[in-house]
Amino acid sequence: MYHSILVPIDGSAQSRKALEVAVDLIDSDRGLLYALNVQEPPLAEDTLGRATGAPARNADRVVQSSGQVVLDSVRAEAGLDAERVQTLVRAGRPASVIVSEAERLGVDAIVIGSRGTSDIGSLIMGSVSHRVLHSAPCSVIVVADRTP
């Protein structure tokens, strides 16, 4: 049993399945799940801002509200209360943010969904899960949802 698990949630079937697996792996008495949503901030709308990759003026508010909606929905679907799951919304590149949050929180494990976006998707892991697997400071469990 793990005492703390970080679960990146993007709303996909794979991330929902990862949360289910994490619930089964966490210490039911003292364990804490961290559900993390990583949003890439929207780019500025002006030409110069888009060209330089600058975030939009209200990017922080957009990121927080969008990410929290995803987390609240998935947490409710899983039937988990706020005491069992701490939700976190961050902005940035998903793999980097996941690894840095795992380090900051000192979690025992990361349970992450795999993603395949092409016909050969079942043969390879998504780039985010692959990067996390190879750079995380803790155990990483990659979960694939094979439900038709």
Side-chain angles (χ1 to χ4, degrees), residues 12 14 113-127 129 143-146:
S12 68
Q14 292 86 358
S114 67
R115 285 179 42 156
T117 57
S118 68
D119 291 337
I120 61 168
S122 61
L123 301 176
I124 60 172
M125 284 187 296
S127 61
S129 58
V143 178
D145 181 16
R146 300 287 185 223

Side-chain angles (χ1 to χ4, degrees), residues 3-9 18-19 22-23 26 30-37 71 75 80 82-90 98 101-102 104-111:
H3 295 292
S4 60
I5 298 176
L6 177 67
V7 186
I9 303 289
L19 182 60
V23 167
I26 197 76
R30 296 175 289 144
L32 182 60
L33 291 172
Y34 296 95
L36 170 67
N37 179 267
L71 292 173
R75 186 169 45 94
L80 299 170
E83 291 178 16
R84 275 282 323 259
V85 181
Q86 182 176 349
T87 59
L88 308 164
V89 179
R90 302 291 184 259
I98 293 165
E101 283 298 304
R104 182 182 75 80
L105 296 167
V107 296
D108 299 327
I110 298 169
V111 178

